[in-house]
Amino acid sequence: MQRSITTASYQKYVDIVGSFQTSYHISGIAPFGDLLVVLAYVSEEDKENNFSNAVPSRQGTAQRPEIHLVSWKNDELTTDALPIHGYEHYKAKDYALAHAPFSGSSNAGGQWAAGDEPLYYIVSPKDIVVAKPRDTEDHIAWLLQHGWHEKALAAVEAGQGRTELLDEVGSRYLDHLIIERKYAEAARLCPKLLRGSPSAWERWVFHFAHLRQLAVLVPYIPTENPQLSDTAYEVALVALTTNPSFHKLLLTTVKKWPPTLYSASPVISAIEPHLNSSSMTDLLKEALAELYVINSQYDKAFSLYAELLKPEVFEFIEKHNLHDDVHDKVVNLMTLDNKRTVNLLIQHRDTIPPNDVVGQLLHTSQSCDKKHLLHLYLHALFETDMNAGKDFHDMQVELYADYEPRMLLPFLRTSQHYRLDKAYEIFAQKELVREQVFVLGRMGNAKEALSTIINKLEDIQEAVEFVMEQHDDELWEELIRQCLQKPEMVGMLLEHTVGNLDPLYIVSLVPDGLEIPRLRDRLVKIVTDYRTETSLRHGCNDILKADCVNLLVKYYQEARRGVYMASMDEEVTGTRVDKGSSRASERSSSVRALEIKSRTRCGARCCLCFDPLSIQDISVIVFHCCHAYHLSCLEGGLDSMKSNSSSQGSDEGSEDGDVTPSGESRMRCVLCTTAAA
């Protein structure tokens, strides 16, 4: 009894916990957590007995075996077909499904515990397929295999795989985009996919260059962190020169990239052959100019800036002292800014001669108002140096007549380097009357000039001024003769000839019966002006006579004074010498010889002692009357004269001004004073 109970407790039995039917044959089944993994065999012939021992035909009709993940109630969750070799000829019995025990399983029945990883084997006659849960790398590989590169990249960036995968995924993604010819998108992703790898960047730079798509990559090429080789940058710039649509990007890139990254010479060599071709755009010229500046070829850069009419060209000239290179770019600069160009040309006219400037402006083929530009330049040149452009004064006359007639008369009066006959023809064509009058006057045809003033300008005041400038009496007669033909002119002539002609003379020439408008008022004005002029003349004559008398008296008084002449080293302590002076005793002991060269009436001798007037040791007094005396002789002679007529001399001194304001008497010539007495 005990034995039977024990035997029964160890007896194996099957407990049916679930039951369902399928539309396919089951070749194997295994647990998958709370679900079931079913290896299904599907045949096209429903009536075929899959478990028969019949030999299969050579032409197999079986489908690929499938893995179904189902619930215990036959709810199908997922299905996957397996690529088994020779599956067309296999039967359901040819497949088997097994699963390995789980290392962390705590359930001997095949269920896995938390942390276990299921591992399954699908066995066929020729293949064994190992099935296990996919990891992130498997997921990324599957995404790449199915062409979902963007999702694969997102998975890598999310940190779901090894970092090394980014290079692989990035390379495959770029390759995929290149194959799809999505070059712009590939270039946009390069900074994220290539990151800081110089070798990877250079490899893709050359790859894009090989594909002739480098233009889309250039904006993303790094200039630091990482910095590539100079060859990579040069290849990129040269690639942008090949197509006019890339030239704007080339200019932007040249301005943006530091010049130390590359050598400008290879890029310049690639552009220069296109200078005279139709592919040479303005943007390419400007880029070439920037490269010339980087290469220190400032003269070539200036030439391009001038052709492009860049406003900063003037600062560029001053900064790099390029005045010598302006010779053949005058027209371009004048077109850009004529005011600044004219100032530049005038300031450096020694370096840029006027002949070169005028020649370029005259023979330019550019569409510009070259005559106006010539006028601006020659006008400024004439105001700075009137002789610098004298060879072009004939041209300047015509230019003034066209653009600035008000400057003609000042120019005609100042310049002497223009042809009068040619100038007169120009003025006649343009009806410039005052200029015609001036030229006629300078040509010597004063009568015709006067006739032009009277008949065309009808300006008597200007006619009178013209006649006064000519200083020709015959012109006055001509002026009167022509004015007598017009009554109004006679009245105007009477008003403007006061002080120049006798109005009575003009009135006497007026024919009897000639009506002169406003004659009475004009005669009254003439008489009034004449009286005023006469009064002013009398007053001026009176003032002139008084001034003459006063000056004559002053001259006479100054002439009576003596001039004291002594040796050069003698110290003079006073300004006047009188008879009681003691200057002779104050002379210095060191006296130099002084030669006096003068002619006097006494033959260079003292008029009292008749000794020669050598003042080596003796002082001399000389008067404006040409009489000279030794100082000692003159003092003695004056003492004797004063003792003889002391009272008379005192009166005359006060009358003739011989006494100074300080009370000191002046020395007088003995001979002249004696003769006057």
Side-chain angles (χ1 to χ4, degrees):
M1 189 65 158
Q2 182 69 29
R3 181 181 300 176
S4 62
I5 295 174
T6 304
T7 304
S9 63
Y10 287 97
Q11 186 177 1
K12 297 181 179 180
Y13 63 95
V14 175
D15 186 12
I16 299 175
V17 296
S19 176
F20 53 84
Q21 293 183 352
T22 62
S23 59
Y24 48 81
H25 300 286
I26 297 176
S27 298
I29 189 171
F32 188 80
D34 295 336
L35 304 176
L36 295 176
V37 177
V38 177
L39 176 60
Y41 175 81
V42 182
S43 175
E44 288 186 358
E45 297 180 0
D46 297 334
K47 296 180 180 181
E48 182 180 357
N49 186 5
N50 293 326
F51 294 96
S52 65
N53 294 327
V55 178
S57 63
R58 294 183 179 181
Q59 183 66 31
T61 59
Q63 301 296 318
R64 291 190 301 173
E66 298 178 355
I67 292 292
H68 293 255
L69 189 62
V70 298
S71 66
W72 289 90
K73 296 180 179 181
N74 199 21
D75 296 329
E76 191 170 287
L77 302 181
T78 183
T79 302
D80 193 8
L82 302 178
I84 302 297
H85 290 88
Y87 66 89
E88 299 91 345
H89 304 286
Y90 294 157
K91 301 296 182 179
K93 64 181 181 180
D94 296 327
Y95 297 103
L97 173 64
H99 69 282
F102 307 121
S103 59
S105 177
S106 58
N107 190 338
Q111 300 294 326
W112 62 83
D116 290 342
E117 291 187 358
L119 187 63
Y120 300 88
Y121 300 93
I122 298 94
V123 181
S124 71
K126 293 184 179 181
D127 292 329
I128 297 177
V129 178
V130 180
K132 61 181 179 178
R134 293 179 180 270
D135 58 9
T136 304
E137 294 186 9
D138 292 332
H139 177 60
I140 293 172
W142 182 83
L143 291 173
L144 293 175
Q145 181 181 359
H146 288 78
W148 294 343
H149 299 83
E150 189 172 356
K151 292 183 178 181
L153 178 62
V156 175
E157 291 177 341
Q160 299 178 5
R162 292 178 292 107
T163 307
E164 294 77 6
L165 282 176
L166 182 59
D167 296 334
E168 179 183 355
V169 173
S171 179
R172 293 184 63 177
Y173 192 8
L174 292 177
D175 288 335
H176 168 72
L177 293 174
I178 294 298
I179 293 174
E180 296 291 329
R181 296 186 178 182
K182 298 179 180 179
Y183 304 111
E185 186 176 353
R188 180 176 55 83
L189 291 173
C190 278
K192 180 168 63 175
L193 300 179
L194 305 181
R195 295 170 295 167
S197 173
S199 59
W201 270 106
E202 291 181 10
R203 180 171 65 86
W204 280 102
V205 165
F206 291 115
H207 188 48
F208 271 82
H210 176 71
L211 296 172
R212 296 184 179 181
Q213 297 295 328
L214 196 53
V216 297
L217 182 63
V218 167
Y220 305 101
I221 297 177
T223 56
E224 57 181 2
N225 298 325
Q227 179 175 331
L228 312 184
S229 65
D230 54 352
T231 304
Y233 295 111
E234 292 165 8
V235 167
L237 293 176
V238 171
L240 297 179
T241 65
T242 57
N243 193 322
S245 61
F246 302 155
H247 293 170
K248 183 177 181 179
L249 177 61
L250 173 63
L251 176 60
T252 305
T253 306
V254 169
K255 291 182 177 180
K256 179 181 177 181
W257 283 359
T260 55
L261 294 178
Y262 58 93
S263 172
S265 298
V267 190
I268 293 174
S269 300
I271 299 176
E272 284 181 337
H274 303 283
L275 275 175
N276 297 322
S277 64
S278 58
S279 61
M280 192 66 182
T281 63
D282 290 345
L283 293 172
L284 187 58
K285 284 184 180 180
E286 187 173 354
L288 180 59
E290 295 290 338
L291 292 169
Y292 279 142
V293 173
I294 294 174
N295 221 27
S296 299
Q297 295 176 276
Y298 303 115
D299 52 343
K300 294 183 177 181
F302 160 71
S303 179
L304 292 175
Y305 282 143
E307 291 181 10
L308 295 171
L309 304 179
K310 304 295 288 183
E312 59 271 16
V313 68
F314 296 98
E315 290 79 6
F316 190 80
I317 293 171
E318 297 296 335
K319 181 179 179 180
H320 300 289
N321 194 21
L322 300 173
H323 304 100
D324 291 340
D325 299 294
V326 178
H327 290 84
D328 56 343
K329 299 299 178 184
V330 171
V331 180
N332 300 84
L333 296 179
M334 290 287 279
T335 305
L336 175 61
D337 190 333
N338 54 59
K339 184 176 180 180
R340 296 182 67 177
T341 304
V342 168
N343 292 335
L344 175 67
L345 297 175
I346 297 301
Q347 291 176 6
H348 301 278
R349 57 185 178 277
D350 295 334
T351 306
I352 313 169
N355 291 336
D356 292 352
V357 176
V358 175
Q360 286 190 55
L361 291 174
L362 283 177
H363 301 97
T364 181
S365 58
Q366 299 185 21
S367 57
C368 61
D369 191 353
K370 57 185 179 182
K371 291 186 65 178
H372 183 250
L373 297 178
L374 270 173
H375 164 66
L376 294 176
Y377 171 70
L378 292 176
H379 173 64
L381 182 64
F382 180 76
E383 288 188 336
T384 305
D385 184 356
M386 64 180 63
N387 294 319
K390 61 183 180 180
D391 296 338
F392 309 105
H393 281 193
D394 284 332
M395 181 191 306
Q396 200 165 355
V397 170
E398 184 176 358
L399 294 173
Y400 273 129
D402 290 335
Y403 296 101
E404 206 165 2
R406 63 183 183 83
M407 295 298 299
L408 268 174
L409 283 177
F411 176 78
L412 296 174
R413 292 189 180 101
T414 307
S415 175
Q416 302 292 332
H417 305 288
Y418 58 89
R419 291 174 52 188
L420 296 174
D421 54 344
K422 184 177 180 181
Y424 182 77
E425 291 178 2
I426 295 173
F427 300 151
Q429 292 176 0
K430 298 186 177 295
E431 298 181 355
L432 299 173
V433 181
R434 284 184 171 82
E435 288 75 10
Q436 294 180 49
V437 171
F438 180 84
V439 172
L440 287 172
R442 179 164 284 190
M443 293 171 66
N445 198 348
K447 290 185 178 181
E448 185 177 352
L450 181 61
S451 177
T452 303
I453 296 174
I454 296 173
N455 296 323
K456 294 184 178 180
L457 294 179
E458 297 183 353
D459 190 340
I460 294 300
Q461 183 176 356
E462 186 170 345
V464 172
E465 292 176 356
F466 176 78
V467 174
M468 291 174 62
E469 291 175 358
Q470 301 300 318
H471 302 288
D472 188 352
D473 294 338
E474 293 183 1
L475 281 181
W476 288 109
E477 299 292 339
E478 181 66 20
L479 173 62
I480 297 171
R481 186 185 65 79
Q482 294 196 24
C483 288
L484 290 176
Q485 300 175 5
K486 299 180 180 181
E488 180 62 29
M489 289 291 183
V490 175
M492 298 172 63
L493 181 62
L494 290 173
E495 291 181 358
H496 294 89
T497 54
V498 176
N500 299 308
L501 287 177
D502 186 0
L504 296 177
Y505 175 70
I506 299 175
V507 173
S508 65
L509 295 178
V510 175
D512 295 337
L514 181 63
E515 294 184 2
I516 300 175
R518 299 172 50 240
L519 178 60
R520 177 181 175 181
D521 297 337
R522 286 168 173 167
L523 290 176
V524 171
K525 184 177 182 300
I526 291 171
V527 173
T528 303
D529 292 344
Y530 184 76
R531 288 177 179 175
T532 303
E533 182 181 357
T534 303
S535 177
L536 290 174
R537 286 184 178 180
H538 286 310
C540 291
N541 288 334
D542 293 341
I543 294 172
L544 182 60
K545 291 177 181 178
D547 289 344
C548 290
V549 172
N550 292 335
L551 291 174
L552 184 60
V553 171
K554 184 178 179 180
Y555 172 76
Y556 173 72
Q557 292 177 355
E558 293 293 334
R560 294 181 64 186
R561 295 181 183 180
V563 180
Y564 177 69
M565 304 181 64
S567 60
M568 294 180 63
D569 293 337
E570 183 179 354
E571 296 180 359
V572 180
T573 58
T575 58
R576 292 179 175 83
V577 181
D578 57 354
K579 62 180 180 180
S581 175
S582 60
R583 291 190 179 94
S585 62
E586 297 176 358
R587 296 175 184 170
S588 175
S589 58
S590 58
V591 180
R592 298 180 182 178
L594 180 63
E595 296 182 359
I596 300 177
K597 297 182 179 180
S598 62
R599 297 183 61 185
T600 63
R601 294 178 183 177
C602 56
R605 293 175 179 273
C606 178
C607 293
L608 292 178
C609 67
F610 298 103
D611 289 338
L613 294 175
S614 174
I615 60 171
Q616 184 174 0
D617 296 317
I618 302 173
S619 298
V620 176
I621 299 295
V622 180
F623 293 92
H624 286 278
C625 57
C626 298
H627 296 146
Y629 306 89
H630 292 120
L631 179 59
S632 57
C633 296
L634 183 60
E635 289 177 348
L638 290 177
D639 290 341
S640 61
M641 290 176 60
K642 187 174 181 181
S643 62
N644 293 333
S645 55
S646 58
S647 60
Q648 182 180 359
S650 177
D651 295 338
E652 292 178 356
S654 60
E655 294 175 359
D656 298 338
D658 290 337
V659 180
T660 62
S662 61
E664 298 179 355
S665 61
R666 301 175 180 174
M667 287 188 174
R668 293 178 296 174
C669 177
V670 176
L671 296 180
C672 294
T673 303
T674 304

